[in-house]
Amino acid sequence: MSSPVIDGRSPDDVAPVRRSYPIEVVVNGRTLRATRSMGEIFIRTARVNVTIAGCPLTVLSHSGGVELLHITDATPIVVTDLETSSSPTTWKGLTMNDLSERIVSAAYGLFARSAVHEVTREQVLAASGVTAEELDGEFASLDALAEACLKRRERDWTIGLVRAGVQARSDRPEEQLLAIFDVFDEWFHRSDYEACMFVNVLLEMGKDHPLGRASVEHLTYIRGLVSGLAAEAGLAEPEEFAYSWHILMKGAIINAVEGDGAAARRAQAMGRALIAQHSRPAAETPDAAAHQLDPRWALG
């Protein structure tokens, strides 16, 4: 990635970047510069993320790494358009008032706990408190709503739980890989543990159904994150490693559903052996900076 998407700079850097980065975003005193389109994405993402206290908004700082900003419902966010000299717009204590977000938030728990075909319009209407006309105006079908919930799952689970959890535990790629199972262990012992929505929907609908294809895409993204960490750790054949690692992740999830309280620890032990199998001499280790970050690492 040759240039930053959102680039953190000091206030003294306003003039040199004004043409390329016309949007200034200040989060808790941290000043960032962004292109106009990315500045808009920043705000939309922040509005969604603040509905979950502490959910991280990840800002791509440079081609070699990322910075994490933690956004809560009390975080002040000030946005200024540097080209128009308009007055700064301040959001504080952001709330989710978009109708579609309201419906997805209500339906998410239904699809997480039940099979897709078991969720009814009546349940969605009762949970969201919207009218039938409002529901139909936002989502053409329950399948479309289920797909939106899969996207929410990626944001809340893949990004908000797993990715944020491993980054909070270590900044070393190999340790982050193993930390996935530390995060899993905590998740497995939560009272609201509901297994993996992507796997559940894929098994129910099949890989050729639109929801099955969407689930495959989300699972592929997870495997891509693992492959990226493997590449940064200098492991041999990172994509092949990621397929094997993903088997450990999915297997641990299923074992936990069966009641195996040590599932994550068992998978982690096997993971250490897999890392050792894919380790190679330092002389063969590729430059980690050459690894390309997935764009979804840029904005959580």
Side-chain angles (χ1 to χ4, degrees):
M1 192 170 295
S2 59
S3 61
V5 177
I6 294 182
D7 188 12
R9 297 178 183 270
S10 68
D12 294 334
D13 292 333
V14 174
V17 300
R18 184 172 297 223
R19 181 172 299 173
S20 299
Y21 301 100
I23 301 295
E24 178 181 273
V25 183
V26 181
V27 182
N28 268 349
R30 179 76 169 101
T31 301
L32 306 161
R33 301 284 186 265
T35 62
R36 189 174 306 282
S37 61
M38 291 310 299
E40 292 171 356
I41 292 175
F42 186 105
I43 295 307
R44 288 201 302 272
T45 306
R47 280 176 163 161
V48 173
N49 282 357
V50 294
T51 64
I52 303 174
C55 183
L57 175 64
T58 307
V59 179
L60 187 60
S61 174
H62 48 76
S63 61
V66 295
E67 294 181 6
L68 291 181
L69 298 178
H70 291 275
I71 310 297
T72 72
D73 58 5
T75 301
I77 302 175
V78 179
V79 182
T80 305
D81 188 326
L82 301 177
E83 290 187 336
T84 63
S85 300
S86 60
S87 300
T89 301
T90 303
W91 285 276
K92 186 172 182 179
L94 296 174
T95 58
M96 181 177 63
N97 52 21
D98 181 76
L99 183 58
S100 62
E101 284 288 332
R102 178 181 172 184
I103 296 171
V104 170
S105 294
Y108 179 84
L110 298 174
F111 286 111
R113 295 188 298 269
S114 306
V116 173
H117 74 274
E118 293 177 346
V119 177
T120 66
R121 282 172 51 85
E122 290 69 26
Q123 288 176 319
V124 173
L125 293 174
S128 62
V130 302
T131 66
E133 291 74 16
E134 288 174 324
L135 175 60
D136 293 339
E138 296 297 322
F139 299 97
S141 65
L142 285 182
D143 279 359
L145 177 56
E147 185 170 355
C149 288
L150 288 174
K151 293 178 181 178
R152 170 69 64 87
R153 180 69 174 190
E154 181 172 283
R155 190 202 78 189
D156 291 359
W157 185 82
T158 308
I159 296 172
L161 176 70
V162 179
R163 193 191 67 181
V166 301
Q167 290 177 330
R169 285 168 169 78
S170 176
D171 57 2
R172 296 182 57 192
E174 184 174 317
E175 292 178 356
Q176 288 182 337
L177 285 167
L178 293 169
I180 289 173
F181 296 109
D182 292 324
V183 174
F184 273 23
D185 190 53
E186 294 180 359
W187 177 44
F188 293 165
H189 289 89
R190 279 171 30 176
S191 60
D192 61 348
Y193 173 60
E194 73 288 68
C196 178
M197 185 185 294
F198 305 137
V199 172
N200 292 345
V201 173
L202 175 59
L203 292 177
E204 177 189 358
M205 309 304 291
K207 65 181 179 65
D208 295 324
H209 188 279
L211 288 177
R213 291 196 295 270
S215 297
V216 168
E217 180 182 345
H218 290 298
L219 289 167
T220 300
Y221 170 53
I222 294 170
R223 195 163 55 249
L225 299 183
V226 172
S227 176
L229 288 174
E232 291 175 24
L235 301 182
E237 300 178 307
E239 291 187 8
E240 184 66 25
F241 171 90
Y243 271 100
S244 298
W245 195 267
H246 208 187
I247 290 174
L248 294 181
M249 292 173 65
K250 289 181 282 192
I253 290 170
I254 298 302
N255 268 32
V257 174
E258 293 179 16
D260 180 6
R265 296 304 172 192
R266 300 182 204 279
Q268 189 179 63
M270 289 186 283
R272 293 182 188 279
L274 186 61
I275 288 174
Q277 178 183 335
H278 283 260
S279 294
R280 53 186 166 188
E284 299 180 17
T285 302
D287 183 2
H291 176 65
Q292 294 295 310
L293 294 173
D294 187 290
R296 278 177 287 187
W297 280 93
L299 286 169

